[in-house]
Amino acid sequence: ASLLWWQCFVKGLFFSFFNPQVVNGIEIYSMKIDSKVTSRFARNVITSQAVNRGNVHKEVFFDVELPKTAFITNFSMTIDGVTYPGYIKEKEAAKQEYEKAVSKGQTAGLVKASGRKTEKFTVSVNIAAASKVTFELTYEELLKRQFGKYEMFIKVKPKQLVKDFEIDISIFEPQGITELEAEGTFITNDLQNVIKKTFSDKKGHISFKPTLDQQRTCANCSQSLLDGDFTVKYDVKRTTPDNLQIVNGYFVHFFAPTNLPQLPKNIIFVIDISGSMSGREIEQTREALLKILDDIRDDDFFNFILFGSDVHTWKEKLIKATPENLDEARKFVRGIDTEGMTNLYGGIMKGIEILNAAHEEKFVPKRSASIIIMLTDGQPNVGISNTEDIRTHVKKAIEGKYPLYNLGFGYGVDYGFLEKMALENKGLARRIYPDSDSALQLQGFYDEVSNPMLMDVELHYPENEISGLTKNSFKHFYDGSEIVVAGRFADINQNSLTVDVKGEGANDVLSFTTQQDAEQTAKAFQEQEYIFGDYIERLWAYLTIEQLLEKRTAATGEEKENLTAEVLDLSLKYKFVTPLTSMVVTKPEDYDNQAGIADKTTEGIDIFTVFFSQQTSASIYFKYLKVDGDPHFIISVPQKEDAICFNINEKPGDVLSLINDPVTGITVNGELIGDKRANSDAKSQNTYFGKLGIANKYLNLKVTVTSEKITVQNGNEKTPFTWLDSVTLQQEGLTLIINKEKNLVLSMGGGASFVVVLHQVWKKHPLHQDFLGLYTLKSHKLSEQTHGLLGQFFHPIDFTILEIHPGSDPKKPDATMIIKNKELTVTRGWQKDYRKDPKHGIDIPCWFVHNNGAGLIDGVHTDYIVSSLF
């Protein structure tokens, strides 16, 4: 899988590297993606060359989108014939070197999540007039087999015409290649002929080198057709169930038997129907479930568990997939609707209870594969809501008997929790992106696990001969997939290996024995130009690091420390940029003594800094927006894994319009309070939100929240509560949960949800008093007409960060932000997120916009002062 997106920033202006002409002095005259695949392991080298045709220095940014499953292994810049390489270092050491560089006015590069399948690498250099620069990036990954094919994914989004643009892919598979495909979402009939594809026996080759005219959208247009996904798929010959390769003291074992009868499966769908799932989410869920019911086989057993505030089951036990039962299930699915809050614990435990009972009562076939698939879009807030407690109960109840797959819908989920719980129970987590194809994403995941062929697969290797063995025990083997195990020999001179494989099939226990020696592998690998020498050793290191990182996700204490040390050692030895390492690129003093740093991120693993924009074609949905403290505003942008923040400084008693949606009728206003002792200089006085008014005019609902009490007004009827109450209140169109002296969760009409956090201070404090924080979840449930200090940011925004340089605080660099066609001076800083830790909060890195958000917010901040709370 590869990349393709180069961008250039010259004095704050955006250009593409693919322009074949001189643009503001910069000409990109060559760019190539060269990929070599040997036995599923891919090494990709991306090279781009540019020259400064101007008469002054120009800063050029090199941006590449690469697969999230890949590890960067090398990066270098060559300026006027002199090469400056990157060095892989432990993250903290790299951070210190980076901060030292920033303090001297140097710039930076990093890897960040960018889309569903990709993340972006960015680095910059300031080149002199007439100077040439060559960027070269190398990354590696193991191609996974799904639905019977290996896939190489390439993102193509040049935005402009490219004079010398080429993709060149060479594939070598010692088993032989049976099919090879190449396609692109942007490929026209004319461009189809530009894709050159050949394969015979063990070798395959694909090239794509369109001319300038072939790239144009029309005869004289300057716009490029190259905008979308370029995908290569292939498969190999399988005369035996497996293939074993040995090179230089390391081995890799591929196991993918064919023509096996399918195991019956017992599947429970645990579905979140809380109010936040209303609208498109629940419609897409119903659509996906109806299509899944069409694919369920007549020897399968299934059931549906729904959880909102309460838990509902379709049937009290697993049901066989007869035509009559499937018709009844379709009627049930069509009637699924949303209600209440999120009793995730109750839902998942009910599903486990039904599945366990089916096995204990021998209601399902002994040789059958059991699976739980849970879909949720929120965080648990009814019943047991502590995620650590939920994980403990779930793991104890499942006891390793079957896998749990967790699907997180959108950005409001606690994805780290879902991932840990799935990995602890032999499953995995997958994010479902809120988009027009969400139903297809759900159905696609089901398709991956819908055809179990074997269960309890064990691959046995001689213990006294092997060390460093990767995972060799698998709960299920699914049709069209592949099991990969790698290891190293205790004696590096050993050149033969015998492997026994056992697994339970639909009819009996199946066993396979494979023998291989290094000489047989050497005969298969005579085409040396296709091979990068130590590929099996690097494949072993890649797979080992990947699996250790998975274990580390759910580990704690000493186990996590040991796993961290092991991953770090391997990452440094094999020069992989992983979540525990960074790549530092030091540029020469003649070029402003700049430096770059590259980070690898994963879901649930934070990076220490964020400096460059990520452009994606998908819409941006905000995980949350919040206002807390002074008041501090934080706009979280998950697609960029970054945040923007600003403060509003006004006097106590002023009421600010935070959210105003004329379509749903929802408004949120906040009244400021100050310190206990009035200060004649209002500008130096701390202000906070002391009162919030949340209303829905169409439902005639008003909720007033202060630091002392909560009042719910439904029409003329008022219901008072205090923060000493623990309450779950459900009325028509309203759900309110008060967590005693901590926070409350409020939703109106099944739309956006609001979390109000109570901040309590020492009652005898001479200055400060209790105040409130507001967090908005599911903001995409509000209409496009939503406005207000927070509401205006519910719409997608994009920004670019340029010219990072030292600020007044050495630890907080300044930069130029390009947003809304404006240039703003911003500062890297931190704000507190108090949702999970109301007392101390969690530091959130963000770009701080000064002067009451001037240039970021629409108008000026005083435009948002309103007359009263409602």
Side-chain angles (χ1 to χ4, degrees):
S2 314
L3 120 52
L4 307 190
W5 197 355
W6 276 255
Q7 297 167 346
C8 163
F9 298 97
V10 182
K11 288 191 175 179
L13 298 177
F14 168 87
F15 301 100
S16 170
F17 267 18
F18 295 137
N19 194 334
Q21 302 164 348
V22 177
V23 179
N24 272 25
I26 295 294
E27 178 190 354
I28 308 305
Y29 58 91
S30 176
M31 194 278 285
K32 183 176 182 180
I33 300 91
D34 181 69
S35 299
K36 283 186 168 56
V37 183
T38 305
S39 293
R40 293 74 147 168
F41 196 60
R43 173 175 289 177
N44 307 280
V45 181
I46 302 170
T47 308
S48 183
Q49 296 176 299
V51 59
N52 182 359
R53 299 292 190 193
N55 54 13
V56 295
H57 279 67
K58 301 287 183 180
E59 187 171 25
V60 180
F61 275 63
F62 173 67
D63 291 349
V64 181
E65 286 196 36
L66 61 156
K68 289 183 178 179
T69 54
F71 291 148
I72 290 175
T73 59
N74 189 43
F75 175 74
S76 67
M77 291 181 301
T78 301
I79 305 174
D80 293 336
V82 181
T83 300
Y84 304 93
Y87 298 96
I88 307 290
K89 296 191 175 185
E90 186 270 330
K91 177 167 280 190
E92 188 59 34
K95 178 183 176 181
Q96 292 174 4
E97 184 166 335
Y98 163 77
E99 289 179 342
K100 180 181 178 182
V102 168
S103 69
K104 296 179 180 179
Q106 302 165 358
T107 56
L110 52 81
V111 176
K112 291 287 294 159
S114 180
R116 296 183 187 179
K117 296 182 178 180
T118 61
E119 58 192 12
K120 181 176 288 186
F121 169 84
T122 304
V123 73
S124 72
V125 64
N126 199 325
I127 60 174
S131 290
K132 293 182 178 181
V133 58
T134 298
F135 297 103
E136 185 174 285
L137 177 72
T138 304
Y139 64 91
E140 298 174 357
E141 69 165 338
L142 178 65
L143 302 182
K144 303 295 193 298
R145 187 172 187 255
Q146 284 186 336
F147 306 118
K149 295 177 183 178
Y150 305 98
E151 179 179 297
M152 173 175 283
F153 173 80
I154 300 171
K155 188 71 174 179
V156 180
K157 198 176 178 70
K159 289 193 174 184
Q160 293 191 21
L161 303 176
V162 184
K163 182 179 180 181
D164 185 13
F165 174 80
E166 182 180 7
I167 301 173
D168 190 86
I169 301 168
S170 298
I171 303 171
F172 183 81
E173 290 288 349
Q175 291 171 259
I177 299 173
T178 58
E179 55 183 318
L180 179 62
E181 305 170 9
E183 58 187 13
T185 57
F186 56 88
I187 298 294
T188 62
N189 289 335
D190 291 338
L191 282 178
Q192 187 67 55
N193 298 325
V194 181
I195 300 175
K196 306 299 181 184
K197 178 185 68 174
T198 60
F199 75 95
S200 61
D201 194 21
K202 302 171 186 176
K203 297 187 291 184
H205 183 258
I206 290 173
S207 68
F208 180 63
K209 192 175 182 180
T211 65
L212 284 175
D213 287 340
Q214 289 169 332
Q215 296 174 44
R216 299 180 194 274
T217 55
C218 64
N220 297 313
C221 295
S222 59
Q223 290 81 23
S224 174
L225 283 169
L226 308 186
D227 185 357
D229 301 335
F230 188 84
T231 305
V232 174
K233 296 181 181 180
Y234 74 92
D235 200 18
V236 300
K237 295 177 183 177
R238 301 184 191 280
T239 56
T240 59
D242 57 355
N243 177 259
L244 185 61
Q245 299 173 20
I246 301 171
V247 176
N248 296 334
Y250 291 82
F251 75 87
V252 60
H253 187 194
F254 301 104
F255 178 72
T258 57
N259 301 320
L260 295 176
Q262 184 174 317
L263 283 163
K265 62 181 177 292
N266 317 305
I267 186 164
I268 290 192
F269 300 94
V270 182
I271 307 297
D272 183 347
I273 60 165
S274 61
S276 59
M277 282 284 290
S278 65
R280 186 166 70 164
E281 280 92 336
I282 201 67
E283 291 173 7
Q284 291 173 323
T285 301
R286 286 194 295 260
E287 179 186 344
L289 291 176
L290 288 171
K291 290 179 179 177
I292 287 170
L293 285 171
D294 291 339
D295 294 334
I296 288 182
R297 293 160 50 98
D298 56 9
D299 57 353
D300 292 341
F301 287 76
F302 70 105
N303 201 348
F304 296 102
I305 312 296
L306 311 179
F307 65 91
S309 294
D310 300 314
V311 176
H312 308 276
T313 59
W314 173 50
K315 301 291 183 181
E316 288 303 314
K317 60 180 182 180
L318 283 172
I319 298 297
K320 193 167 186 181
T322 64
E324 296 78 15
N325 287 336
L326 287 170
D327 284 341
E328 186 180 346
R330 291 185 184 97
K331 292 178 183 177
F332 175 79
V333 168
R334 291 188 185 102
I336 292 176
D337 207 351
T338 56
E339 62 173 48
M341 303 304 284
T342 309
N343 188 0
L344 185 149
Y345 171 78
I348 188 65
M349 292 302 291
K350 185 64 176 178
I352 296 170
E353 176 189 325
I354 290 176
L355 199 50
N356 283 345
H359 283 280
E360 290 167 4
E361 297 167 9
K362 299 182 179 179
F363 184 70
V364 294
K366 179 182 178 182
R367 296 188 185 282
S368 59
S370 294
I371 299 169
I372 293 181
I373 297 178
M374 182 176 71
L375 170 69
T376 180
D377 79 331
Q379 301 184 28
N381 51 31
V382 175
I384 296 179
S385 59
N386 182 285
T387 55
E388 296 295 325
D389 292 342
I390 294 174
R391 285 172 51 198
T392 299
H393 287 294
V394 167
K395 186 176 181 181
K396 182 177 180 181
I398 292 179
E399 292 183 318
K401 295 188 290 289
Y402 40 79
L404 168 65
Y405 297 107
N406 290 329
L407 307 182
F409 205 135
Y411 301 106
V413 296
D414 185 344
Y415 189 83
F417 155 62
L418 295 181
E419 184 178 41
K420 290 175 184 177
M421 187 164 65
L423 291 173
E424 287 173 336
N425 294 283
K426 300 186 177 181
L428 57 84
R430 181 78 56 82
R431 191 183 291 281
I432 303 299
Y433 292 86
D435 213 331
S436 58
D437 68 341
S438 294
L440 293 176
Q441 295 177 56
L442 290 168
Q443 188 184 359
F445 176 80
Y446 171 78
D447 290 343
E448 291 180 39
V449 299
S450 63
N451 296 307
M453 313 302 285
L454 294 172
M455 61 182 186
D456 297 324
V457 180
E458 301 279 349
L459 297 92
H460 297 284
Y461 305 84
E463 291 185 10
N464 60 339
E465 297 178 8
I466 302 300
S467 65
L469 189 66
T470 63
K471 181 180 177 182
N472 66 325
S473 175
F474 302 84
K475 192 62 187 175
H476 293 156
F477 167 74
Y478 296 104
D479 189 29
S481 67
E482 181 174 66
I483 289 173
V484 183
V485 180
R488 58 187 175 190
F489 291 108
D491 179 1
I492 195 171
N493 296 314
Q494 182 171 334
N495 57 14
S496 63
L497 184 64
T498 300
V499 185
D500 293 318
V501 183
K502 290 185 178 180
E504 290 197 34
N507 301 321
D508 51 20
V509 175
L510 302 180
S511 62
F512 310 89
T513 299
T514 298
Q515 291 182 315
Q516 178 73 314
D517 60 44
E519 189 174 323
Q520 289 173 294
T521 304
K523 288 180 181 179
F525 283 80
Q526 293 177 349
E527 305 290 341
Q528 288 298 318
E529 72 271 18
Y530 274 70
I531 302 166
F532 44 97
D534 56 352
Y535 82 96
I536 287 186
E537 182 178 353
R538 295 193 66 79
L539 187 158
W540 166 81
Y542 171 96
L543 198 58
T544 300
I545 291 171
E546 186 180 62
Q547 293 177 1
L548 289 174
L549 285 171
E550 277 193 1
K551 288 182 182 179
R552 182 178 177 271
T553 298
T556 58
E558 185 177 352
E559 181 188 8
K560 187 167 187 174
E561 290 179 5
N562 292 337
L563 290 169
T564 298
E566 197 171 351
V567 171
L568 183 58
D569 286 346
L570 285 171
S571 300
L572 293 173
K573 179 179 179 180
Y574 290 95
K575 296 181 171 51
F576 286 139
V577 177
T578 69
L580 301 182
T581 56
S582 297
M583 178 177 285
V584 177
V585 184
T586 303
K587 306 169 193 175
E589 292 188 7
D590 290 345
Y591 293 93
D592 294 341
N593 196 25
Q594 299 170 349
I597 188 164
D599 270 347
K600 173 74 175 175
T601 64
T602 65
E603 290 276 5
I605 297 177
D606 294 330
I607 66 166
F608 57 78
T609 188
V610 181
F611 283 123
F612 297 102
S613 68
Q614 297 128 65
Q615 312 273 343
T616 72
S617 58
S619 297
I620 295 173
Y621 291 87
F622 298 104
K623 181 176 180 182
Y624 70 89
L625 288 93
K626 60 85 81 170
V627 57
D628 218 333
D630 279 341
H632 308 303
F633 290 75
I634 298 182
I635 298 94
S636 175
V637 188
Q639 290 284 46
K640 291 179 175 293
E641 290 194 357
D642 205 351
I644 304 172
C645 51
F646 61 96
N647 290 351
I648 296 294
N649 300 303
E650 273 303 319
K651 61 183 182 298
D654 282 344
V655 180
L656 300 177
S657 172
L658 303 178
I659 299 168
N660 183 1
D661 183 3
V663 176
T664 64
I666 290 177
T667 61
V668 182
N669 295 330
E671 182 177 325
L672 298 176
I673 60 172
D675 292 332
K676 293 177 181 177
R677 260 202 317 261
N679 191 317
S680 58
D681 182 5
K683 290 184 179 180
S684 66
Q685 181 174 354
N686 293 317
T687 54
Y688 317 90
F689 279 114
K691 186 183 292 187
L692 293 170
I694 305 172
N696 188 320
K697 66 180 181 180
Y698 297 130
L699 297 176
N700 202 15
L701 285 170
K702 294 180 180 179
V703 179
T704 306
V705 185
T706 72
S707 59
E708 297 177 348
K709 63 181 181 180
I710 302 102
T711 304
V712 177
Q713 182 174 349
N714 192 340
N716 294 321
E717 181 181 348
K718 293 185 178 181
T719 307
F721 302 98
T722 75
W723 283 102
L724 295 175
D725 297 320
S726 291
V727 173
T728 299
L729 173 68
Q730 289 186 293
Q731 298 178 352
E732 185 177 353
L734 171 71
T735 302
L736 172 69
I737 297 175
I738 301 174
N739 296 303
K740 182 178 178 180
E741 294 189 295
K742 291 183 179 179
N743 58 53
L744 66 83
V745 184
L746 171 70
S747 65
M748 291 180 171
S753 298
F754 304 101
V755 179
V756 180
V757 175
L758 173 65
H759 296 283
Q760 294 179 304
V761 301
W762 179 43
K763 296 301 180 186
K764 296 183 179 181
H765 196 287
L767 284 178
H768 304 320
Q769 53 184 323
D770 296 349
F771 63 96
L772 305 172
L774 172 71
Y775 296 76
T776 306
L777 306 176
K778 312 295 182 187
S779 57
H780 61 280
K781 295 281 188 176
L782 297 172
S783 79
E784 293 182 358
Q785 297 180 40
T786 304
H787 211 266
L789 278 169
L790 278 181
Q792 63 189 288
F793 298 107
F794 296 163
H795 316 303
I797 60 171
D798 193 19
F799 63 90
T800 298
I801 296 296
L802 306 171
E803 301 170 0
I804 301 165
H805 56 277
S808 56
D809 184 337
K811 295 182 179 180
K812 297 180 179 181
D814 286 347
T816 299
M817 173 183 285
I818 308 297
I819 189 167
K820 297 182 178 181
N821 295 318
K822 301 174 185 175
E823 290 191 14
L824 308 179
T825 298
V826 294
T827 301
R828 194 62 178 172
W830 293 266
Q831 297 283 27
K832 292 286 188 182
D833 180 348
Y834 291 96
R835 287 177 301 161
K836 293 185 177 180
D837 186 351
K839 186 175 181 181
H840 302 102
I842 298 172
D843 285 330
I844 301 293
C846 62
W847 288 108
F848 185 81
V849 180
H850 301 273
N851 302 320
N852 292 296
L856 171 66
I857 63 174
D858 294 337
V860 296
H861 74 284
T862 53
D863 295 339
Y864 299 88
I865 298 176
V866 294
S867 59
S868 65
L869 208 57
F870 293 104

